[in-house]
Amino acid sequence: MIFSTTELDCKEASTAGMVNSEVSTRLEGKYAAIVVCWLLGNGCLFSWNSMLTIEDYYGYLFPKYHPSRVLTLVYQPFAVGTLAILAYNEAKLNTRLRNLFGYILFFISTLLVLILNSATSGKGGLGTFIGICALSGAFGVADAHVQGGMVGDLSYMKPEFIQSFLAGLAASGVLTSALRLVTKAAFENSKDGLRKGAILFFAISTFFELLCVVLYAFIFPKIPIVKYYRSKAASEGSKTVSADLAAGGIRTLPGTEKEYTKDPERKGNKQLLLENIDYALDTFLIYMLTLSIFPGFLLEDTGSHSLGTWYALVLIAMYNVWDLIGRYIPLLKCLKLESRKLITITILSRFLLVPAFYFTAKYGDQGWMIVLTSFLGLSNGYLTVCVLTSAPKGYKGPEQNALGNLLVLFLLGGIFAGVTLDWLWLIGKGW
């Protein structure tokens, strides 16, 4: 049978149209995924930021125990230790169960903070403080499951997804700071106002964590573009996404034909770490510096000021706002640092903030302290996104997942080092 040139052209155009339509369908839901990633990032730190933001309440309940420093110091060993185990076994883990466990643990722990507060009638004491510390440790375990799992999962998707998740982490600080300012203003003149504000605060946090459980369990895995990238990762040898694909309605994985029957070569964690040791150290140093100043130093060592009990809340709010702004700046390509050397030089230059904070607390006024705190947040958010979006480029899906987990491990290690070094500010002050 002989076909005319016109008929052949029509058939080719029709086939091309079907292929383009299929690809377009697979990539639908980009903006929905960005919004959900933002909300999930928010939920990852919402509970912990809630605990940090009501430090004025805990400072009132436990004046002798330095809660702003102790709670962070308790949180970190659990986070780092748990994530070290999870990162080592990352290739064998069910990512869906890991992340769901983390969000559910966040929900339960936040609810228990409310129950503990009610059971003790808002009274302090060593027993209550130990209970709060135990729940802080639970937040650390939950953070290790969620933050490492989500960053690893999003590392093989579009860079905008991981940027949105990281922005959500920062937004949780902004939202909790705003809520704390509102609740403090609403209850400031009432009897037991600090406690009422804290209860309302954690009630909202509990609801939000439950929302994140629902979003991750039922909404996120069904977004077409998310299913597409998870299918692609599975075709490249990832064994961690099967449960998420099943939740999205994909039972038979695309790309399981003969060319994918043999397990593709995957670089091991050691090799990935050696190839990206500069990025790993970058994340460590970013958070070591930040947490050696925030929140402990800002809450206890900021010198003389006229804002009274509002001062610490204003500083935390300014840090959180500028941290969030910094995480959106890299969306402008002309402002994004991509040179590995420049990123490292910029991170090392941040250590000049240590003497700057010291001398400002000693000789400066509150205006300069607010400016420095804002810059600390801005640089923290900006450099975090630059590192975590640049590092996974050029790797296969399973390798990107593993690298994301390793970088978050160094990030949490930096936080642990920072909160430990934070105690050095107390030298000469009775310690």
Side-chain angles (χ1 to χ4, degrees):
M1 184 179 292
I2 299 174
F3 294 98
S4 69
T5 304
T6 305
E7 289 174 321
L8 287 172
D9 288 344
C10 287
K11 286 199 171 188
E12 287 175 4
S14 177
T15 304
M18 290 173 66
V19 171
N20 290 335
S21 176
E22 184 180 351
V23 172
S24 176
T25 302
R26 284 182 176 181
L27 298 179
E28 282 179 357
K30 173 185 172 182
Y31 295 106
I34 287 174
V35 171
V36 174
C37 286
W38 189 88
L39 290 170
L40 291 174
N42 219 305
C44 182
L45 284 184
F46 201 87
S47 296
W48 174 239
N49 276 324
S50 296
M51 189 168 273
L52 286 182
T53 308
I54 61 167
E55 290 292 1
D56 56 335
Y57 174 58
Y58 286 136
Y60 168 75
L61 284 185
F62 315 111
K64 297 180 181 178
Y65 301 136
H66 297 280
S68 64
R69 288 181 163 95
V70 173
L71 291 178
T72 309
L73 195 58
V74 169
Y75 174 95
Q76 288 309 318
F78 285 96
V80 175
T82 303
L83 185 55
I85 296 169
L86 293 173
Y88 182 78
N89 296 288
E90 171 273 328
K92 305 171 188 174
L93 296 176
N94 181 323
T95 301
R96 179 173 175 78
L97 289 181
R98 171 182 173 173
N99 289 334
L100 277 176
F101 175 82
Y103 281 117
I104 290 170
L105 183 57
F106 270 130
F107 167 69
I108 292 172
S109 301
T110 311
L111 182 62
L112 287 176
V113 172
L114 274 175
I115 294 172
L116 179 63
N117 193 292
S118 300
T120 59
S121 300
K123 295 177 181 176
L126 182 59
T128 305
F129 186 65
I130 291 172
I132 294 293
C133 285
L135 292 172
S136 177
F139 286 149
V141 173
D143 183 22
H145 279 79
V146 171
Q147 193 168 172
M150 287 299 299
V151 169
D153 203 23
L154 298 175
S155 290
Y156 57 77
M157 300 186 194
K158 292 185 76 65
E160 292 93 329
F161 293 176
I162 195 169
Q163 182 277 330
S164 184
F165 179 81
L166 295 172
L169 294 177
S172 67
V174 175
L175 290 176
T176 51
S177 292
L179 278 172
R180 186 63 188 131
L181 291 171
V182 169
T183 54
K184 182 174 175 61
F187 297 110
E188 187 174 29
N189 297 320
S190 66
K191 184 181 178 182
D192 209 15
L194 271 176
R195 179 170 177 252
K196 290 176 181 176
I199 288 174
L200 176 61
F201 210 80
F202 271 100
I204 294 170
S205 300
T206 304
F207 170 78
F208 192 81
E209 294 299 344
L210 181 60
L211 173 65
C212 286
V213 173
V214 174
L215 284 173
Y216 187 82
F218 303 109
I219 307 298
F220 191 60
K222 295 181 180 178
I223 299 174
I225 194 169
V226 173
K227 291 195 286 186
Y228 167 75
Y229 279 109
R230 282 176 170 163
S231 300
K232 185 173 179 286
S235 73
E236 293 173 343
S238 177
K239 299 175 183 176
T240 63
V241 296
S242 56
D244 279 311
L245 285 172
I250 299 176
R251 300 287 176 180
T252 304
L253 300 183
T256 54
E257 292 86 4
K258 290 183 180 179
E259 64 264 34
Y260 296 118
T261 53
K262 65 177 183 179
D263 193 23
E265 286 187 11
R266 174 196 180 279
K267 293 180 180 180
N269 286 352
K270 184 177 179 181
Q271 186 178 353
L272 287 170
L273 182 56
L274 289 174
E275 291 178 1
N276 296 277
I277 191 65
D278 54 334
Y279 283 134
L281 292 175
D282 286 344
T283 55
F284 180 88
L285 293 174
I286 289 169
Y287 283 85
M288 184 182 77
L289 175 71
T290 299
L291 270 293
S292 67
I293 298 170
F294 174 88
F297 173 81
L298 296 182
L299 289 172
E300 295 188 19
D301 305 279
T302 47
S304 59
H305 49 78
S306 60
L307 290 175
T309 58
W310 287 87
Y311 189 47
L313 295 181
V314 169
L315 288 178
I316 290 174
M318 292 306 295
Y319 169 87
N320 286 325
V321 167
W322 284 99
D323 183 33
L324 176 61
I325 292 171
R327 294 180 190 228
Y328 280 100
I329 292 175
L331 288 177
L332 301 172
K333 291 186 178 181
C334 60
L335 297 178
K336 183 181 179 183
L337 271 182
E338 293 188 290
S339 166
R340 296 171 82 142
K341 288 183 180 179
L342 280 178
I343 289 174
T344 302
I345 290 170
T346 305
I347 288 167
L348 291 174
S349 68
R350 288 180 82 229
F351 280 84
L352 293 172
L353 287 171
V354 174
F357 270 99
Y358 174 78
F359 286 110
T360 301
K362 201 167 184 179
Y363 304 110
D365 60 21
Q366 60 194 27
W368 283 110
M369 186 62 74
I370 290 172
V371 170
L372 276 180
T373 303
S374 300
F375 182 76
L376 180 72
L378 179 71
S379 57
N380 183 83
Y382 173 76
L383 291 168
T384 298
V385 172
C386 286
V387 172
L388 292 181
T389 55
S390 298
K393 291 179 179 178
Y395 290 101
K396 297 176 183 176
E399 295 165 345
Q400 291 171 321
N401 193 341
L403 181 56
N405 275 270
L406 289 172
L407 292 178
V408 173
L409 176 60
F410 274 81
L411 185 155
L412 292 180
I415 293 175
F416 188 24
V419 299
T420 305
L421 291 172
D422 185 45
W423 287 83
L424 295 177
W425 294 103
L426 293 176
I427 291 175
K429 298 183 179 182
W431 279 70

